[in-house]
Each structure stands twice: as structure tokens, then as C-alpha cells.
Amino acid sequence: MSESAPPPAPSPPSARSRTTKFSIIWLIPIIAIGIAAWLGYRNWVNRGPMISVTFDTAAGLTAGQTQVQHKAVALGTVHDITLTPDMRRVIVHIQMHADAEKILTNHTRFWVVRPRINGASITGLETLISGAYIGIDPGAPGGTYQEDFTGLESAPGVRSDQPGTTYMLVTDSVGSLGEGAPVYFRDLQVGEVLGYTMPPGGEGPILVQVFIRSPYDSYLRTDSRFWNVSGVQVGLGPGGLKVQLASLQALLSGGVAFGLPERRQSIAAPSAPANAVFKLYSSKSEADNARYRQHYHVATYLDSSVKGLVPGAQVTMYGLQVGTVTGVRLLIDQKTAQARVRVDMELEPERVKVSDSDKAALLEQMVAADGMRASVESASFLTGEALIALDFVKNAKSASVTYEDGVPIIPSRPGGVDGIMASASTLMDKVAAMPLTQIGEHVDGLLAHTDRRLNSPDMTATLRALRDSLRHVSELTAHADQGMQPLLKRLPAMSAALQSTLQSAQAVLGSYGGDTDFHRDLQGMIVQLTDAARSIRFLTDYLNRHPSSLITGRQ
């Protein structure tokens, strides 16, 4: 039996061709690709160089976020942060913008802006919210292009776009002066301290760099003076307690001030050039004293205490300063073992209106003829400060100016409390040398002798006779108007009484003796009684010859 073949399969239908239409959905990826390409192009066009800045620490810096800003305008972004091979510092790679390429020179400076407290100054507070950023200062125009920099740890005191001038101050000690401390002119802040440089080896003066803004830098002359106004200055003088404080910032971070010098000539000094060097004085008074340029070196030796006398103390004459103490030294003679203090001074003739005469001859005349002597006086009992006073002593012992290595030596005398104690000691020595015991015995004997004389019979008789004489005179006066005869009768009796009184007084005077007040008073009384007796005798004789004179008066 044979199998039959399967029927043929049907042929597939023929496909119809159809034209494809563009879909709008394709616009989205095309636009995205275009934008990406444009952004890539813009980024490639605006992309500046990749630079590296080395800092001590990367605190506050974040790769891809921290920006480089100048005047609040972004000039670049931190790309990554790595450590140096020695692991001591960090290297910050920054992708700068193309328009910042022209400012990348060796004059450009970078620093990290963080919140900082420097004395009374607080900076970088805006970074508490926005985060730290890297500041940039383009520096002075010019310079060579570079891409590797060393960053600053703090913001520079002077920016390249800030007009002003930098100067140098020389001082032995900076005190509380710090970077950023203010500079004052007539109590106005006109600049700041940029920093200071220690001398090599730590010996020598310290160099302080200050910046003064324009236009105040034009006020600085070659003869201007700077002084330290750090902290609080307290002084106690004739005007009372004085407290001086420049500002709160100067109290915390220190400060410097400068002023115009006193003009003695109509021509002002020229303006100070940039980087001129000035001396920094410790106080305004010291700066004011610096205008006296003439100094005459003298010295004196003192044998009393000089407690409170230090270099810088005043030398006064009539209470006015005429110089300054420059040294106080204790000297001991090895041969005699005698100790004394040498005080070196510098007299400033410009403080006194004196002609340009020979200073040595004038000093010798003041010492020899006028008795000028040097002594230590107390400047303040509260603070214990002392000074040297040049006083003119009346009836001073003869002395003259001597010279040691060409330095005039002024004679001295004890002064102040020591002078008072020395005078008191001399007085006590004189009192102790007096024979007080013998004087007391003589006084006791004189009083006893006087008492015996006053109680003696002769003194009693004298007083009685004197009383009788006074009674007769009283009776004479009472009976003068009773007629001539009663008066004539009483005159002889009164004369006899006075004569008796004189004899008694003479006897007492002769027995008393001595040169005493009582003797002199008694002798004066006898003289008066003698004159009275003589007058009564003359009156008696005249009335006997002219009795009518009682009525008609003396012819």
C-alpha cells in the first residue's frame, strides 16, 4: 500500500512597505546631549589652570565645595586635598577659572578665611554659616606666572588694593603688641601692626612692621615719634590719679601711637619715606623727652639710701625737670671698705632758658658760689618713687666740682627723710652733749637762793618802807588842797621815809647780787625811788622859798 504525499503548505502573505515618521520624543535626549556638549565646551573654555597651595592644615576645606574668593567673587574651586611626602603639611589642588590666570604670579597670596579672635578684633564670622573659603590677594602688578604657592596662616595686614605706606619700628621689647594691633594718630585708628622680626641670635633690637593708611601716612615726618599705648597707663602726680586707656582693643592686643613733634622752627621736616625706621618709645612722656637733643653728663655720690631711685627718674631744680637719671650703682672701696652710691645723670640744657655759655663754668659757679647740692627726694609717698633734686643750700660748706674721667661730680647732701633723720640725729647728739645734770643743780640752787632772799628780813623791811612811802605820797595828795603849812610839815617826813626805803633796797640789792631778772628789776626800782626822793627834796626847797606858787603857779 503506498502512502500519499502531504498537501503543500500555503505561501506567507507578502509584506507591505510603510514610510517611518519622526517622533517628538526624540527631542528630549537630543536637547540633553546638546546642553551637555555646550556645558562641556563652556567648561573647557572657562577652565583655568590647576594650581597647588600648601597649608599647615586643611581644617574647614572640602574638595569640590570650598571656593577661592576675591571680594566675594568665586575664582576657583578646591579639586582635591593631599598630604606632602613628609606628612607635615597639606597640598590643596585648586581648579582656577580662566579669567584668574592673569593674577597667578609670585606676588599672589592665599590664606584660609576662618573665624578668628585676635585681641578685641573678631574676623571671619560669615564662615560660621557658609563655611571656610580660601582668600586670594593678587598682589602688586607685574611678577612672573607660577602655579605652586605657599599659603598664609592668617590674612595679610595689607592688601594690594589698599593705599598706604609701611614703616619699621625699633624697640627692645614689644610688650603686649601683636599682629593686627592698631596704630593711632590723635586717638584715631589709622593703621595696624603687620608683625615683628626677631634679631638673629635673639640679641639686639626687635623690628616691628606697621602699616599706615592713606592719607594719614602723609602726616608722618622724619622727626615724628612713636610710643607704645598698650594696656592701661596709671600715674599719680601733682594733679592726682591719672588713668589713660587708648581703646579696648589696645588694652587686649596692644597698640602704637604717633604724633607731630613740637615745632621750634617754621620749616617742617620732610615726609617720611616708605620703610623708614623709627624708634618705639615705651610711653608718651619718654617720646616727648626725646625732643631734647642736648645732653650734659654729670654724676654725684650719695651716702644715704636711694630706695626708689631707678634709671629714668627725674632730675629737678626748683621742682622742674632739668634732666634724667641714667644709672644707679653701688660702689665699695676695697681699701677703706667704704660703700657709697654713684648716680649718673644727663642734664638737658634745652629745658632751661640759658645762653650757649660754658656749661662746665656755669656748673662750677652754681656749686661754689650758690651752694648747689644734689640730694634724693621722694617723688611719691604712695608709689615709693624717688628723684634727684638740685637744691641751693644757704650757708653751705665750701665745696667745688670735681672731675672723674671728664665727668663733673656734683657735691651731695642728705635729703628727704634721710636728711630729716640726719638733722634730728645731729640735734640729739648736741642735746646729749649738754650738761643737763649740772644745769638742773644750778637752777635748783638759784630757786632756793631766790626763795631765801624773798623771805629775808631785809626784803620784809624794804617792802614795809616802800609801803610807808606810798602811804605818805597818798596822804600828800589828799591834803594838798588843805593849805601850805600841812604840806610843808609832811614833806620832811615823806622824804625821810623815801630815804629809808632807798637804804633798805640798797641793802637788799647788795646782799642779793647776781645778774638775774630779779636783781635788774630791783635795781630799776631803787633808781626810780632815788629820783622820787630827789624830786620831793627839790619840791620842798622850792615851796619854802616860794610858798605862793601853790596858788599863782611857778613863775
Side-chain angles (χ1 to χ4, degrees):
M1 174 176 155
S2 61
E3 298 178 353
S4 59
S11 59
S14 58
R16 295 180 180 179
S17 61
R18 185 172 54 182
T19 304
T20 303
K21 295 181 179 180
F22 178 79
S23 177
I24 195 171
I25 195 68
W26 291 101
L27 292 176
I28 296 176
I30 293 174
I31 294 174
I33 293 173
I35 293 175
W38 173 253
L39 291 178
Y41 174 77
R42 292 287 300 177
N43 183 47
W44 181 79
V45 172
N46 295 329
R47 184 177 182 180
M50 180 73 70
I51 65 172
S52 61
V53 183
T54 304
F55 293 103
D56 287 342
T57 178
L61 302 181
T62 304
Q65 295 183 5
T66 304
Q67 294 181 340
V68 177
Q69 298 182 5
H70 177 61
K71 296 184 180 295
V73 177
L75 298 179
T77 305
V78 174
H79 184 268
D80 59 48
I81 303 173
T82 60
L83 290 171
T84 57
D86 57 2
M87 308 293 286
R88 293 184 177 181
R89 308 189 74 186
V90 297
I91 300 176
V92 180
H93 296 91
I94 304 174
Q95 182 63 58
M96 299 296 295
H97 296 172
D99 54 358
E101 183 177 0
K102 58 184 177 181
I103 65 173
L104 299 177
T105 66
N106 58 339
H107 298 164
T108 307
R109 295 174 292 179
F110 295 87
W111 67 94
V112 179
V113 180
R114 305 186 184 94
R116 295 179 182 272
I117 300 177
N118 183 14
S121 177
I122 302 177
T123 59
L125 289 179
E126 70 277 6
T127 60
L128 293 175
I129 299 176
S130 62
Y133 63 90
I134 298 177
I136 181 174
D137 180 31
T144 59
Y145 176 81
Q146 68 178 37
E147 295 182 353
D148 296 328
F149 301 90
T150 299
L152 305 175
E153 292 306 312
S154 60
V158 181
R159 310 292 175 85
S160 58
D161 57 348
Q162 186 175 12
T165 310
T166 302
Y167 302 96
M168 301 296 176
L169 306 181
V170 177
T171 179
D172 294 330
S173 175
V174 296
S176 60
L177 280 180
E179 185 177 345
V183 177
Y184 295 99
F185 174 73
R186 301 183 66 175
D187 297 333
L188 297 177
Q189 184 174 350
V190 297
E192 62 181 3
V193 176
L194 302 180
Y196 54 86
T197 304
M198 294 294 294
E203 298 181 356
I206 301 174
L207 197 63
V208 181
Q209 187 179 21
V210 297
F211 175 78
I212 300 178
R213 297 190 300 270
S214 178
Y216 304 104
D217 55 349
S218 62
Y219 301 154
L220 195 63
R221 304 291 178 175
T222 55
D223 57 352
S224 297
R225 293 178 296 274
F226 287 80
W227 63 88
N228 199 324
V229 293
S230 302
V232 180
Q233 298 180 3
V234 181
L236 185 63
L241 182 64
K242 297 181 180 179
V243 180
Q244 185 176 359
L245 174 63
S247 68
L248 180 60
Q249 184 175 357
L251 176 64
L252 299 178
S253 63
V256 174
F258 73 94
L260 296 175
E262 181 180 355
R263 301 297 181 192
R264 295 192 175 186
Q265 299 178 356
S266 58
I267 302 176
S271 299
N275 297 321
V277 180
F278 296 89
K279 182 179 180 180
L280 178 61
Y281 296 94
S282 60
S283 63
K284 187 178 185 302
S285 60
E286 184 179 352
D288 292 337
N289 294 336
R291 70 175 182 266
Y292 303 111
R293 302 184 182 276
Q294 297 181 13
H295 301 279
Y296 187 52
H297 187 195
V298 298
T300 187
Y301 287 96
L302 299 172
D303 298 329
S304 57
S305 175
V306 293
K307 183 178 180 181
L309 186 65
V310 296
Q314 296 183 0
V315 179
T316 63
M317 179 182 295
Y318 292 112
L320 299 177
Q321 184 177 1
V322 296
T324 306
V325 175
T326 58
V328 181
R329 293 181 296 169
L330 178 63
L331 303 179
I332 300 178
D333 192 344
Q334 296 181 356
K335 297 181 179 180
T336 62
Q338 181 182 4
R340 57 179 182 172
V341 179
R342 177 186 171 106
V343 179
D344 291 283
M345 301 168 285
E346 282 188 350
L347 301 182
E348 297 163 344
E350 293 174 309
R351 293 181 179 271
V352 184
K353 291 185 177 180
V354 60
S355 59
D356 296 334
S357 58
D358 187 1
K359 300 179 180 61
L362 180 61
L363 184 64
E364 293 175 358
Q365 180 181 359
M366 296 173 69
V367 171
D370 301 332
M372 188 179 73
R373 302 291 184 268
S375 63
V376 179
E377 301 290 345
S378 176
S380 173
F381 288 102
L382 295 179
T383 61
E385 295 178 335
L387 53 83
I388 294 295
L390 301 180
D391 298 328
F392 295 92
V393 182
K394 295 182 179 179
N395 302 323
K397 295 182 179 179
S398 177
S400 60
V401 176
T402 59
Y403 292 86
E404 292 184 2
D405 298 332
V407 178
I409 306 299
I410 301 176
S412 65
R413 69 179 184 91
V417 177
D418 293 331
I420 297 174
M421 296 301 296
S423 301
S425 178
T426 303
L427 179 61
M428 294 303 296
D429 292 341
K430 293 181 179 180
V431 172
M434 295 175 61
L436 297 179
T437 304
Q438 292 82 350
I439 293 175
E441 293 176 353
H442 292 167
V443 171
D444 291 340
L446 177 61
L447 293 175
H449 181 72
T450 302
D451 185 66
R452 288 193 302 269
R453 290 301 183 186
L454 291 176
N455 295 327
S456 63
D458 295 337
M459 180 59 70
T460 302
T462 301
L463 294 176
R464 185 180 298 111
L466 180 60
R467 184 182 58 192
D468 294 340
S469 299
L470 293 176
R471 186 178 66 252
H472 290 307
V473 173
S474 178
E475 293 176 355
L476 177 62
T477 304
H479 297 86
D481 56 349
Q482 295 180 2
M484 180 66 182
Q485 295 301 325
L487 179 61
L488 293 176
K489 293 179 179 180
R490 301 196 61 86
L491 284 177
M494 186 175 65
S495 178
L498 288 175
Q499 190 67 28
S500 176
T501 301
L502 287 174
Q503 293 176 357
S504 299
Q506 289 288 352
V508 173
L509 183 61
S511 61
Y512 186 78
D515 186 12
T516 62
D517 291 340
F518 178 77
H519 179 272
R520 287 190 291 271
D521 293 341
L522 186 59
Q523 188 174 10
M525 184 187 69
I526 293 174
V527 172
Q528 294 177 2
L529 290 175
T530 303
D531 294 338
R534 184 181 301 107
S535 298
I536 292 175
R537 185 171 64 250
F538 291 158
L539 177 60
T540 304
D541 295 340
Y542 184 79
L543 291 177
N544 286 331
R545 293 193 299 269
H546 307 283
S548 61
S549 61
L550 291 174
I551 299 174
T552 62
R554 186 173 181 178
Q555 298 298 325

